Amino acid sequence: MMERAESGQKLYTRLRLWEFPDQYVIEPTDGSSASSLVVSRADGSMSLTDEVPECSSVRVPKIRAIFGVVGLLKLVASSHLVVITDRECAGSYLGQPIFKVKSLKILPCDHSLKNSSIEQKKVENEFSALLNVLERTSGLYFSYDTNLTLSAQRLHDLGDECKLLPLWRQSDYSFVLEGTRMWRRGADPDGYVANFVETEQIFQMKGFTASFVQVRRSIPFLWEQIVDLTYKPEFEIVRHEEAPQVAERHFLDMRKKYGSVLAVDLVNKHGRRLSEKYANAMQHILSDDVRYLHFDFHQVCGHIHFERLSILYEQIVDVLKKNWYFLLNEKGEKMKEQLGVVRTNCIDCLDRTNVTQSMIGQIMLETQLRRIGVFGAEETISSHPNFDESFKILWANHGDEISIQYSGTPALKGDFVRCGQRTAQGILRDGWNALARYYLNNFRDGTKQDAIDLLHGHYIASVSRDLTPATQTGGLEAVASFPLALSLVMVGFLFATMSLRKAPNDLRHLFFSMVWASMSIGVAAVMRANGRIFCNRPRLHRPSWH
């Protein structure tokens, strides 16, 4: 987004886009008197102008309001301007409004493409198709006034010189590289991991500002799941011998940023090589500042007894009290500092992780409320039904938002976070979402990942790259079989859900629900057993995560 000339930290809140035949002109319309930005439609070159070019009968521009300029993306023989065309206020952060991107527009600067070779035009068309996926990307947030990539504590501790820098210079770029489930797993050789989310829980009351930060991150060594149309593709650990070094680099980076680290691993112990490998990789880096705790979530809590997370709390309470939280008084003076962080992971860092983090977040919020005198010694959030409901909804929405970005569906086990207990409808909804994840992971996320990689510059945009399609098997049978089978499974789950809702009034519907669910599971099992029959789409070559 364009910076104001008079302040390096402020951004224009409203802009007008003039689309001339030969150039785009972006004019500030929020009362500022700064220059307008001119972008050539021939090659994407930029310049500033103090006046909007004149219109004429042969030079009639299309005019639209926009709310920010994301940037310029260069391809093989053209460039594309990315702008925000719609937004909505999603809340506030430390008193400043936060906006959610409702729609993006990709504007081509490709007039020079007419002089390009046939090969270049072919590659450009393929890349341009990926850009259309970006216009439908959800879960993007921004602020004109404050840096969303820094926690309240890091913002408070920011030096005066840094505060004078424009927001993009202050930003932590760790938060602009998330991928999609299955296509981004584990760590790279430098220790940077997939699905890294920093969750900050902030409240302001009676003049106090309190913050508590948690993080979720993928298991920090080189591993992957190759999408092969099975429901749960096999894990593959890459370059076993490098696991300890990769983990060491990862936790060194975390210590620099957060202080001490408690790594809570929620992966199943039995049948999962990842947990064993993770524990082994941690052995030589454990210290007073780096701790590792394995908690077999499914073995202890099963699929419904999530209240047993209190067992985990008893194991980590001393660390939580040692690390504490961030607290400012009415004068903006620091009263407490968070000295460490809990790092939570399961396989996807989604469902089990969100349930666990919401439990820790609730306990820390209660601690903070007692500290400033709002709660009594034995008072809890559950003592206040309205507050309790709002807190649960907040965390459930948070989990859904992360899950939609990474997997394409709302979080599983969300009924417990939202309602405090597992429900029959919630379990069936999880089954539906799990099925949707399967479809998206195998048939949509590859394209989405290509688009993300293109946006972040992970492609080397050139004509010489390999365009050979992946080998296909199964022919027409493969193409026709999967949509039919998937439709049957979805219909089965739909009728199972409808029947279950009527079961309390008529037990026959419980039987019908079981029949429909059994049919769906049976078809799904056949799909999994014959997963390799169905063809996967040919994909563009891209560098791997590792």
Side-chain angles (χ1 to χ4, degrees), residues 49 61-62 90 108 123 135 177 193 203 222 237 264 272 278 282 349 359 384 423 465 480 483 493 511 523:
T49 182
K62 179 180 179 180
V123 174
E135 290 187 341
L177 300 173
V193 295
F203 82 89
L222 282 65
I237 300 175
V264 177
R272 298 288 192 185
Y278 188 10
M282 292 295 295
C349 302
M359 178 271 292
H384 305 271
T423 63
R465 81 203 194 294
F493 270 108
F511 171 76
V523 175

PDB file of all heavy atoms in Angstrom, residues 49 61-62 90 108 123 135 177 193 203 222 237 264 272 278 282 349 359 384 423 465 480 483 493 511 523:
ATOM      1  N   THR A  49       3.412  11.460 -10.411  1.00  0.00           N
ATOM      2  CA  THR A  49       2.926  12.645 -11.109  1.00  0.00           C
ATOM      3  C   THR A  49       2.101  13.487 -10.155  1.00  0.00           C
ATOM      4  O   THR A  49       1.448  12.952  -9.244  1.00  0.00           O
ATOM      5  CB  THR A  49       2.080  12.265 -12.338  1.00  0.00           C
ATOM      6  OG1 THR A  49       1.669  13.453 -13.017  1.00  0.00           O
ATOM      7  CG2 THR A  49       0.837  11.472 -11.934  1.00  0.00           C
ATOM      8  N   PRO A  61     -10.974   6.777 -19.343  1.00  0.00           N
ATOM      9  CA  PRO A  61     -10.533   5.800 -18.342  1.00  0.00           C
ATOM     10  C   PRO A  61     -11.700   5.143 -17.617  1.00  0.00           C
ATOM     11  O   PRO A  61     -12.786   5.713 -17.517  1.00  0.00           O
ATOM     12  CB  PRO A  61      -9.713   6.652 -17.372  1.00  0.00           C
ATOM     13  CG  PRO A  61     -10.421   7.984 -17.402  1.00  0.00           C
ATOM     14  CD  PRO A  61     -10.910   8.168 -18.821  1.00  0.00           C
ATOM     15  N   LYS A  62     -11.453   3.945 -17.163  1.00  0.00           N
ATOM     16  CA  LYS A  62     -12.367   3.313 -16.221  1.00  0.00           C
ATOM     17  C   LYS A  62     -11.908   3.710 -14.823  1.00  0.00           C
ATOM     18  O   LYS A  62     -10.723   3.619 -14.506  1.00  0.00           O
ATOM     19  CB  LYS A  62     -12.329   1.795 -16.378  1.00  0.00           C
ATOM     20  CG  LYS A  62     -13.238   1.050 -15.415  1.00  0.00           C
ATOM     21  CD  LYS A  62     -13.150  -0.450 -15.639  1.00  0.00           C
ATOM     22  CE  LYS A  62     -14.044  -1.203 -14.670  1.00  0.00           C
ATOM     23  NZ  LYS A  62     -13.972  -2.678 -14.880  1.00  0.00           N
ATOM     24  N   ALA A  90     -12.650  -5.684  10.508  1.00  0.00           N
ATOM     25  CA  ALA A  90     -12.758  -6.953  11.223  1.00  0.00           C
ATOM     26  C   ALA A  90     -12.594  -6.788  12.729  1.00  0.00           C
ATOM     27  O   ALA A  90     -12.757  -7.746  13.472  1.00  0.00           O
ATOM     28  CB  ALA A  90     -11.705  -7.927  10.706  1.00  0.00           C
ATOM     29  N   PRO A 108      -3.349  -6.523 -15.414  1.00  0.00           N
ATOM     30  CA  PRO A 108      -2.192  -6.856 -16.256  1.00  0.00           C
ATOM     31  C   PRO A 108      -1.484  -5.620 -16.803  1.00  0.00           C
ATOM     32  O   PRO A 108      -2.117  -4.626 -17.176  1.00  0.00           O
ATOM     33  CB  PRO A 108      -2.821  -7.680 -17.386  1.00  0.00           C
ATOM     34  CG  PRO A 108      -4.221  -7.166 -17.476  1.00  0.00           C
ATOM     35  CD  PRO A 108      -4.641  -6.819 -16.079  1.00  0.00           C
ATOM     36  N   VAL A 123       3.778 -19.625 -21.689  1.00  0.00           N
ATOM     37  CA  VAL A 123       4.114 -19.629 -20.265  1.00  0.00           C
ATOM     38  C   VAL A 123       3.350 -18.533 -19.532  1.00  0.00           C
ATOM     39  O   VAL A 123       2.841 -18.733 -18.419  1.00  0.00           O
ATOM     40  CB  VAL A 123       5.633 -19.452 -20.069  1.00  0.00           C
ATOM     41  CG1 VAL A 123       5.967 -19.314 -18.590  1.00  0.00           C
ATOM     42  CG2 VAL A 123       6.379 -20.637 -20.661  1.00  0.00           C
ATOM     43  N   GLU A 135      -7.020 -13.962  -6.701  1.00  0.00           N
ATOM     44  CA  GLU A 135      -8.150 -13.055  -6.504  1.00  0.00           C
ATOM     45  C   GLU A 135      -9.185 -13.643  -5.559  1.00  0.00           C
ATOM     46  O   GLU A 135      -9.970 -12.915  -4.952  1.00  0.00           O
ATOM     47  CB  GLU A 135      -8.798 -12.724  -7.847  1.00  0.00           C
ATOM     48  CG  GLU A 135      -7.933 -11.848  -8.742  1.00  0.00           C
ATOM     49  CD  GLU A 135      -8.664 -11.396  -9.997  1.00  0.00           C
ATOM     50  OE1 GLU A 135      -9.683 -12.026 -10.353  1.00  0.00           O
ATOM     51  OE2 GLU A 135      -8.220 -10.425 -10.612  1.00  0.00           O
ATOM     52  N   LEU A 177       4.594 -16.313   4.548  1.00  0.00           N
ATOM     53  CA  LEU A 177       5.001 -17.491   3.788  1.00  0.00           C
ATOM     54  C   LEU A 177       4.167 -18.720   4.219  1.00  0.00           C
ATOM     55  O   LEU A 177       4.690 -19.832   4.213  1.00  0.00           O
ATOM     56  CB  LEU A 177       6.493 -17.752   4.020  1.00  0.00           C
ATOM     57  CG  LEU A 177       7.436 -16.612   3.603  1.00  0.00           C
ATOM     58  CD1 LEU A 177       8.856 -16.901   4.029  1.00  0.00           C
ATOM     59  CD2 LEU A 177       7.380 -16.392   2.109  1.00  0.00           C
ATOM     60  N   VAL A 193       9.646 -23.265   9.375  1.00  0.00           N
ATOM     61  CA  VAL A 193       8.638 -24.321   9.303  1.00  0.00           C
ATOM     62  C   VAL A 193       7.350 -23.870   8.632  1.00  0.00           C
ATOM     63  O   VAL A 193       7.072 -22.669   8.515  1.00  0.00           O
ATOM     64  CB  VAL A 193       8.301 -24.842  10.722  1.00  0.00           C
ATOM     65  CG1 VAL A 193       9.495 -25.513  11.356  1.00  0.00           C
ATOM     66  CG2 VAL A 193       7.787 -23.706  11.608  1.00  0.00           C
ATOM     67  N   PHE A 203      -6.259  -8.018  25.831  1.00  0.00           N
ATOM     68  CA  PHE A 203      -7.440  -7.328  26.332  1.00  0.00           C
ATOM     69  C   PHE A 203      -7.010  -6.020  26.993  1.00  0.00           C
ATOM     70  O   PHE A 203      -5.905  -5.877  27.507  1.00  0.00           O
ATOM     71  CB  PHE A 203      -8.245  -8.199  27.306  1.00  0.00           C
ATOM     72  CG  PHE A 203      -7.734  -8.204  28.718  1.00  0.00           C
ATOM     73  CD1 PHE A 203      -8.172  -7.257  29.640  1.00  0.00           C
ATOM     74  CD2 PHE A 203      -6.831  -9.159  29.143  1.00  0.00           C
ATOM     75  CE1 PHE A 203      -7.702  -7.265  30.945  1.00  0.00           C
ATOM     76  CE2 PHE A 203      -6.356  -9.175  30.440  1.00  0.00           C
ATOM     77  CZ  PHE A 203      -6.794  -8.226  31.352  1.00  0.00           C
ATOM     78  N   LEU A 222      12.850 -32.185   8.385  1.00  0.00           N
ATOM     79  CA  LEU A 222      12.441 -32.354   6.995  1.00  0.00           C
ATOM     80  C   LEU A 222      11.549 -33.592   6.854  1.00  0.00           C
ATOM     81  O   LEU A 222      12.017 -34.719   6.992  1.00  0.00           O
ATOM     82  CB  LEU A 222      13.669 -32.480   6.087  1.00  0.00           C
ATOM     83  CG  LEU A 222      14.406 -31.190   5.740  1.00  0.00           C
ATOM     84  CD1 LEU A 222      15.031 -30.559   6.965  1.00  0.00           C
ATOM     85  CD2 LEU A 222      15.460 -31.434   4.682  1.00  0.00           C
ATOM     86  N   ILE A 237      10.120 -39.093   6.001  1.00  0.00           N
ATOM     87  CA  ILE A 237      11.133 -38.259   6.641  1.00  0.00           C
ATOM     88  C   ILE A 237      12.312 -38.130   5.688  1.00  0.00           C
ATOM     89  O   ILE A 237      12.885 -39.132   5.252  1.00  0.00           O
ATOM     90  CB  ILE A 237      11.572 -38.854   7.988  1.00  0.00           C
ATOM     91  CG1 ILE A 237      10.364 -38.958   8.927  1.00  0.00           C
ATOM     92  CG2 ILE A 237      12.671 -38.007   8.615  1.00  0.00           C
ATOM     93  CD1 ILE A 237      10.663 -39.644  10.244  1.00  0.00           C
ATOM     94  N   VAL A 264       5.279 -28.370  23.039  1.00  0.00           N
ATOM     95  CA  VAL A 264       4.262 -29.361  23.401  1.00  0.00           C
ATOM     96  C   VAL A 264       3.855 -30.103  22.128  1.00  0.00           C
ATOM     97  O   VAL A 264       3.293 -29.512  21.203  1.00  0.00           O
ATOM     98  CB  VAL A 264       3.039 -28.695  24.052  1.00  0.00           C
ATOM     99  CG1 VAL A 264       1.966 -29.749  24.340  1.00  0.00           C
ATOM    100  CG2 VAL A 264       3.430 -27.973  25.327  1.00  0.00           C
ATOM    101  N   ARG A 272       3.200 -43.420  14.824  1.00  0.00           N
ATOM    102  CA  ARG A 272       3.650 -42.180  14.218  1.00  0.00           C
ATOM    103  C   ARG A 272       5.154 -42.032  14.396  1.00  0.00           C
ATOM    104  O   ARG A 272       5.627 -41.726  15.485  1.00  0.00           O
ATOM    105  CB  ARG A 272       2.948 -40.974  14.868  1.00  0.00           C
ATOM    106  CG  ARG A 272       1.438 -40.957  14.690  1.00  0.00           C
ATOM    107  CD  ARG A 272       1.057 -40.617  13.256  1.00  0.00           C
ATOM    108  NE  ARG A 272      -0.367 -40.332  13.119  1.00  0.00           N
ATOM    109  CZ  ARG A 272      -0.970 -40.096  11.977  1.00  0.00           C
ATOM    110  NH1 ARG A 272      -0.269 -40.128  10.870  1.00  0.00           N
ATOM    111  NH2 ARG A 272      -2.256 -39.842  11.915  1.00  0.00           N
ATOM    112  N   TYR A 278      10.953 -36.613  16.392  1.00  0.00           N
ATOM    113  CA  TYR A 278      10.946 -35.282  17.009  1.00  0.00           C
ATOM    114  C   TYR A 278      11.617 -35.345  18.383  1.00  0.00           C
ATOM    115  O   TYR A 278      12.497 -34.536  18.705  1.00  0.00           O
ATOM    116  CB  TYR A 278       9.508 -34.790  17.107  1.00  0.00           C
ATOM    117  CG  TYR A 278       9.324 -33.358  17.537  1.00  0.00           C
ATOM    118  CD1 TYR A 278      10.385 -32.458  17.635  1.00  0.00           C
ATOM    119  CD2 TYR A 278       8.041 -32.879  17.837  1.00  0.00           C
ATOM    120  CE1 TYR A 278      10.175 -31.146  18.013  1.00  0.00           C
ATOM    121  CE2 TYR A 278       7.828 -31.573  18.220  1.00  0.00           C
ATOM    122  CZ  TYR A 278       8.895 -30.702  18.306  1.00  0.00           C
ATOM    123  OH  TYR A 278       8.685 -29.398  18.694  1.00  0.00           O
ATOM    124  N   MET A 282      15.291 -33.634  19.607  1.00  0.00           N
ATOM    125  CA  MET A 282      15.326 -32.615  20.667  1.00  0.00           C
ATOM    126  C   MET A 282      16.343 -32.925  21.758  1.00  0.00           C
ATOM    127  O   MET A 282      16.716 -32.029  22.531  1.00  0.00           O
ATOM    128  CB  MET A 282      13.935 -32.492  21.309  1.00  0.00           C
ATOM    129  CG  MET A 282      12.866 -31.909  20.396  1.00  0.00           C
ATOM    130  SD  MET A 282      13.202 -30.200  19.958  1.00  0.00           S
ATOM    131  CE  MET A 282      13.061 -29.410  21.559  1.00  0.00           C
ATOM    132  N   CYS A 349      -1.209 -28.922  12.951  1.00  0.00           N
ATOM    133  CA  CYS A 349      -1.212 -27.722  13.803  1.00  0.00           C
ATOM    134  C   CYS A 349      -2.549 -26.994  13.693  1.00  0.00           C
ATOM    135  O   CYS A 349      -2.603 -25.756  13.698  1.00  0.00           O
ATOM    136  CB  CYS A 349      -0.068 -26.777  13.451  1.00  0.00           C
ATOM    137  SG  CYS A 349       1.564 -27.519  13.592  1.00  0.00           S
ATOM    138  N   MET A 359      -7.487 -23.705  25.732  1.00  0.00           N
ATOM    139  CA  MET A 359      -7.430 -24.025  27.169  1.00  0.00           C
ATOM    140  C   MET A 359      -6.360 -23.182  27.860  1.00  0.00           C
ATOM    141  O   MET A 359      -6.598 -22.572  28.905  1.00  0.00           O
ATOM    142  CB  MET A 359      -7.152 -25.507  27.352  1.00  0.00           C
ATOM    143  CG  MET A 359      -7.022 -25.971  28.808  1.00  0.00           C
ATOM    144  SD  MET A 359      -5.342 -25.891  29.495  1.00  0.00           S
ATOM    145  CE  MET A 359      -4.510 -27.157  28.540  1.00  0.00           C
ATOM    146  N   HIS A 384     -19.124 -16.534  34.466  1.00  0.00           N
ATOM    147  CA  HIS A 384     -19.872 -15.476  33.776  1.00  0.00           C
ATOM    148  C   HIS A 384     -20.321 -16.002  32.420  1.00  0.00           C
ATOM    149  O   HIS A 384     -19.549 -15.995  31.462  1.00  0.00           O
ATOM    150  CB  HIS A 384     -18.993 -14.231  33.607  1.00  0.00           C
ATOM    151  CG  HIS A 384     -18.416 -13.722  34.888  1.00  0.00           C
ATOM    152  ND1 HIS A 384     -19.067 -12.794  35.685  1.00  0.00           N
ATOM    153  CD2 HIS A 384     -17.252 -14.034  35.523  1.00  0.00           C
ATOM    154  CE1 HIS A 384     -18.306 -12.543  36.748  1.00  0.00           C
ATOM    155  NE2 HIS A 384     -17.218 -13.288  36.677  1.00  0.00           N
ATOM    156  N   THR A 423     -20.610 -32.710  20.433  1.00  0.00           N
ATOM    157  CA  THR A 423     -22.001 -32.977  20.105  1.00  0.00           C
ATOM    158  C   THR A 423     -22.067 -33.918  18.907  1.00  0.00           C
ATOM    159  O   THR A 423     -21.115 -34.029  18.127  1.00  0.00           O
ATOM    160  CB  THR A 423     -22.736 -31.674  19.746  1.00  0.00           C
ATOM    161  OG1 THR A 423     -22.138 -31.109  18.559  1.00  0.00           O
ATOM    162  CG2 THR A 423     -22.637 -30.661  20.885  1.00  0.00           C
ATOM    163  N   ARG A 465      11.716 -23.880 -18.064  1.00  0.00           N
ATOM    164  CA  ARG A 465      11.387 -24.844 -17.025  1.00  0.00           C
ATOM    165  C   ARG A 465      10.628 -26.033 -17.607  1.00  0.00           C
ATOM    166  O   ARG A 465      10.079 -25.949 -18.713  1.00  0.00           O
ATOM    167  CB  ARG A 465      10.572 -24.183 -15.926  1.00  0.00           C
ATOM    168  CG  ARG A 465       9.109 -24.058 -16.264  1.00  0.00           C
ATOM    169  CD  ARG A 465       8.433 -22.954 -15.475  1.00  0.00           C
ATOM    170  NE  ARG A 465       7.005 -23.076 -15.584  1.00  0.00           N
ATOM    171  CZ  ARG A 465       6.340 -22.912 -16.700  1.00  0.00           C
ATOM    172  NH1 ARG A 465       6.960 -22.653 -17.821  1.00  0.00           N
ATOM    173  NH2 ARG A 465       5.030 -23.033 -16.715  1.00  0.00           N
ATOM    174  N   ALA A 480     -13.977 -40.293 -14.648  1.00  0.00           N
ATOM    175  CA  ALA A 480     -15.408 -40.396 -14.376  1.00  0.00           C
ATOM    176  C   ALA A 480     -15.707 -40.964 -13.007  1.00  0.00           C
ATOM    177  O   ALA A 480     -16.704 -40.642 -12.390  1.00  0.00           O
ATOM    178  CB  ALA A 480     -16.065 -41.262 -15.458  1.00  0.00           C
ATOM    179  N   PRO A 483     -15.563 -38.231  -9.439  1.00  0.00           N
ATOM    180  CA  PRO A 483     -16.691 -37.351  -9.144  1.00  0.00           C
ATOM    181  C   PRO A 483     -17.927 -38.102  -8.688  1.00  0.00           C
ATOM    182  O   PRO A 483     -18.638 -37.667  -7.784  1.00  0.00           O
ATOM    183  CB  PRO A 483     -16.923 -36.617 -10.466  1.00  0.00           C
ATOM    184  CG  PRO A 483     -15.603 -36.668 -11.158  1.00  0.00           C
ATOM    185  CD  PRO A 483     -15.028 -38.001 -10.792  1.00  0.00           C
ATOM    186  N   PHE A 493     -23.433 -38.508   3.615  1.00  0.00           N
ATOM    187  CA  PHE A 493     -23.232 -37.728   4.838  1.00  0.00           C
ATOM    188  C   PHE A 493     -24.345 -36.698   5.031  1.00  0.00           C
ATOM    189  O   PHE A 493     -24.760 -36.419   6.156  1.00  0.00           O
ATOM    190  CB  PHE A 493     -21.871 -37.026   4.810  1.00  0.00           C
ATOM    191  CG  PHE A 493     -20.769 -37.856   5.399  1.00  0.00           C
ATOM    192  CD1 PHE A 493     -19.796 -38.432   4.598  1.00  0.00           C
ATOM    193  CD2 PHE A 493     -20.690 -38.071   6.773  1.00  0.00           C
ATOM    194  CE1 PHE A 493     -18.781 -39.210   5.124  1.00  0.00           C
ATOM    195  CE2 PHE A 493     -19.680 -38.847   7.316  1.00  0.00           C
ATOM    196  CZ  PHE A 493     -18.716 -39.415   6.499  1.00  0.00           C
ATOM    197  N   PHE A 511     -31.583 -45.086  13.069  1.00  0.00           N
ATOM    198  CA  PHE A 511     -31.212 -46.229  12.227  1.00  0.00           C
ATOM    199  C   PHE A 511     -30.863 -45.768  10.816  1.00  0.00           C
ATOM    200  O   PHE A 511     -29.850 -46.169  10.240  1.00  0.00           O
ATOM    201  CB  PHE A 511     -32.364 -47.239  12.188  1.00  0.00           C
ATOM    202  CG  PHE A 511     -32.165 -48.338  11.176  1.00  0.00           C
ATOM    203  CD1 PHE A 511     -31.279 -49.382  11.426  1.00  0.00           C
ATOM    204  CD2 PHE A 511     -32.858 -48.323   9.966  1.00  0.00           C
ATOM    205  CE1 PHE A 511     -31.084 -50.380  10.487  1.00  0.00           C
ATOM    206  CE2 PHE A 511     -32.678 -49.322   9.031  1.00  0.00           C
ATOM    207  CZ  PHE A 511     -31.789 -50.356   9.290  1.00  0.00           C
ATOM    208  N   VAL A 523     -18.127 -46.389   0.719  1.00  0.00           N
ATOM    209  CA  VAL A 523     -17.671 -45.822  -0.547  1.00  0.00           C
ATOM    210  C   VAL A 523     -16.323 -45.145  -0.379  1.00  0.00           C
ATOM    211  O   VAL A 523     -15.431 -45.268  -1.218  1.00  0.00           O
ATOM    212  CB  VAL A 523     -18.707 -44.824  -1.098  1.00  0.00           C
ATOM    213  CG1 VAL A 523     -18.174 -44.134  -2.352  1.00  0.00           C
ATOM    214  CG2 VAL A 523     -20.017 -45.539  -1.413  1.00  0.00           C
TER     215      VAL A 523
END
